[in-house]
Amino acid sequence: MLYNYKAIDQDGHEREGSIEAPTQELAVISLQRRSLIISAISAAEQKGSLQIRLPFFSRIKNKDVVILSRQIATLFEAQVSALRVFRLLAAEVDNKTLSGVLTTVADDIQGGMPMSQALSRHPKVFSSYYVNMVRAGEESGKLSSTFVYLADYLDRTYEVSSKAENALIYPAFVVGVFIVVMTLMLTLVVPNISKILTESGQELPIYTKIVIGASNFAVQYGVFVLIALIAFGFYLWQYGKTEKGRLYIDGLKISVPYVGDLYQKLYLARITDSFSTMLLSGVSVVQAFDIAASVVGNAAYEEVLRDTQQSVRGGASISEALGRHPEIPGIMVAMTRVGEETGELGQILGTLTKFYNREVMNAVDTLVGLIEPVMIVGLGLGVATLMAAILLPIYNLASAL
């Protein structure tokens, strides 16, 4: 957001200007780091900007962070200074919110703050994994290669997760439209036709009686069913926020037949990829477990990683600690053992990542390939049953006349 300010500089001169920042508080902090004494600051009026009027369009997406990380990695490889990198990108990015964040990060770095600390002040943009990777790069003096690893990692995770999400958009849309159309038919069309059929006095087929019964139920109790579903969904949403609920729901995700296998491979790919990237960047094993647990996105696997971390701290090998958990497949335990014995654990886990990413891609393709014919058959049967239940009695009635 754009803020107009009036301030006094170190020489006592009055200055006016504007600054981009996510909040007024961050704008004040940025100006103070420039040794300015602020006398007035207010939000600038934005005219004709759809992005400002609609906050949805200015929120920072994962794709923005992926592209940003690749740009940072490229600039660092070109030996551009950290301050210059963030100043350049703040001026170039289209997303105004992200531009404000980068400007604040640049101001913090200019004020003497380490890059990792400056990034950690924006947890909604830069995750704990991201910050810890940057901190490891600072400590090891390999910041350039660290951002290359980070960019590659974010590219891979974004590709896998976006493909899994996009593959389900079309089936979800078709099923949603089908439900809406069937609901309208049962509540608006069938009741009018059912009056004609019942008044005719003819014996109705069993499937017609079922459709009429479903229509009567939808008309009389549909609102209550909708309220009950909304209440149940709200309860699940709130329950999922609790530690017990999150553990139960996430455990259910990986135990459902077939879909659970897809989720397992997705989380295992995330674990091995983040672990491999961190180890290659110089992050310690114990710290890597802590960070991986915070980014895996599943409470069941988070618990496994936390428990494994404690076992490793107690002197157990990584492969031995992982082997105690049935959620970790035998191939991962065996490959980890090989990596420990050869001292190439980072590379071994990188190989596992490629394997699991391929498995996820294949599983998504297979799932979509199964969903489409099942969906077509299911929709066809639903429409055919509804049409037959309505049209056949009408045809018999017309024949009798």
Side-chain angles (χ1 to χ4, degrees):
M1 189 171 182
L2 188 67
Y3 293 92
N4 294 330
Y5 68 87
K6 293 182 180 179
I8 301 173
D9 61 18
Q10 289 178 318
D11 299 325
H13 299 130
E14 289 189 359
R15 294 178 56 181
E16 294 184 9
S18 59
I19 183 173
E20 284 276 0
T23 65
Q24 182 171 314
E25 181 184 356
L26 290 176
V28 171
I29 293 172
S30 298
L31 292 170
Q32 288 174 340
R33 287 202 174 88
R34 300 177 189 176
S35 301
L36 297 176
I37 300 174
I38 301 167
S39 57
I41 185 169
S42 60
E45 292 185 4
Q46 302 291 334
K47 297 181 180 180
S49 175
L50 183 64
Q51 190 173 23
I52 297 297
R53 295 187 180 188
L54 299 178
F56 173 79
F57 290 99
S58 61
R59 64 190 179 96
I60 301 171
K61 303 176 183 177
N62 288 336
K63 184 179 180 180
D64 296 328
V65 181
V66 172
I67 296 172
L68 173 68
S69 301
R70 179 62 66 191
Q71 291 172 327
I72 294 175
T74 302
L75 290 171
F76 268 112
E77 286 185 315
Q79 304 298 315
V80 180
S81 67
L83 179 60
R84 183 65 177 157
V85 165
F86 286 99
R87 291 286 186 213
L88 282 171
L89 294 177
E92 292 297 327
V93 295
D94 295 327
N95 189 304
K96 296 299 182 183
T97 304
L98 182 57
S99 176
V101 169
L102 294 176
T103 299
T104 306
V105 171
D107 290 339
D108 289 336
I109 293 173
Q110 187 172 8
M113 188 179 293
M115 188 191 304
S116 57
Q117 186 178 348
L119 295 176
S120 68
R121 298 182 59 212
H122 308 278
K124 292 183 179 180
V125 182
F126 305 105
S127 64
S128 59
Y129 173 81
Y130 201 105
V131 172
N132 279 283
M133 285 288 292
V134 174
R135 183 176 294 116
E138 289 175 324
E139 293 172 354
S140 63
K142 300 178 180 178
L143 203 52
S144 175
S145 58
T146 296
F147 270 105
V148 173
Y149 284 132
L150 255 178
D152 291 340
Y153 167 76
L154 292 174
D155 272 337
R156 290 190 299 268
T157 54
Y158 178 76
E159 181 185 3
V160 173
S161 59
S162 61
K163 180 170 183 177
E165 292 171 2
N166 293 336
L168 299 177
I169 290 177
Y170 172 69
F173 173 76
V174 173
V175 171
V177 171
F178 174 74
I179 291 173
V180 170
V181 171
M182 292 295 286
T183 301
L184 293 176
M185 289 286 291
L186 291 174
T187 56
L188 299 178
V189 179
V190 175
N192 294 325
I193 297 176
S194 65
K195 290 179 183 179
I196 300 174
L197 297 178
T198 51
E199 289 174 359
S200 68
Q202 67 171 312
E203 181 64 25
L204 300 177
I206 183 64
Y207 47 82
T208 302
K209 292 180 180 178
I210 293 174
V211 170
I212 292 175
S215 175
N216 293 334
F217 180 84
V219 171
Q220 295 177 14
Y221 304 105
V223 175
F224 301 104
V225 172
L226 180 62
I227 293 173
L229 288 174
I230 293 173
F232 181 68
F234 180 75
Y235 167 76
L236 282 181
W237 180 55
Q238 292 294 326
Y239 180 65
K241 289 183 175 181
T242 64
E243 185 176 349
K244 182 180 178 182
R246 197 163 68 92
L247 187 62
Y248 175 77
I249 293 173
D250 286 350
L252 197 63
K253 278 184 183 179
I254 61 177
S255 60
V256 175
Y258 193 80
V259 176
D261 184 53
L262 172 60
Y263 270 117
Q264 281 185 348
K265 291 172 181 176
L266 181 63
Y267 293 129
L268 289 171
R270 193 174 295 171
I271 291 170
T272 54
D273 201 357
S274 60
F275 233 96
S276 172
T277 305
M278 284 185 285
L279 292 179
L280 292 174
S281 299
V283 179
S284 68
V285 172
V286 174
Q287 188 181 10
F289 271 112
D290 191 46
I291 300 170
S294 66
V295 300
V296 66
N298 183 279
Y301 277 107
E302 181 180 341
E303 192 175 67
V304 169
L305 292 172
R306 300 285 185 198
D307 184 69
T308 303
Q309 181 190 39
Q310 294 302 319
S311 299
V312 171
R313 276 179 174 167
S317 65
I318 300 174
S319 56
E320 179 187 352
L322 289 174
R324 298 170 185 171
H325 301 279
E327 295 88 352
I328 305 297
I331 185 174
M332 183 171 170
V333 176
M335 293 286 280
T336 303
R337 184 177 296 112
V338 171
E340 288 178 307
E341 292 173 354
T342 60
E344 300 290 340
L345 185 56
Q347 286 81 354
I348 293 291
L349 291 177
T351 303
L352 264 179
T353 299
K354 294 177 183 177
F355 168 75
Y356 282 123
N357 279 339
R358 281 198 304 270
E359 288 291 298
V360 169
M361 297 295 189
N362 293 336
V364 169
D365 291 337
T366 304
L367 182 62
V368 172
L370 288 173
I371 285 177
E372 290 185 356
V374 170
M375 183 176 62
I376 292 171
V377 172
L379 298 182
L381 288 175
V383 172
T385 301
L386 184 61
M387 292 298 99
I390 295 173
L391 296 179
L392 286 180
I394 292 177
Y395 175 77
N396 293 335
L397 181 60
S399 299
L401 297 175

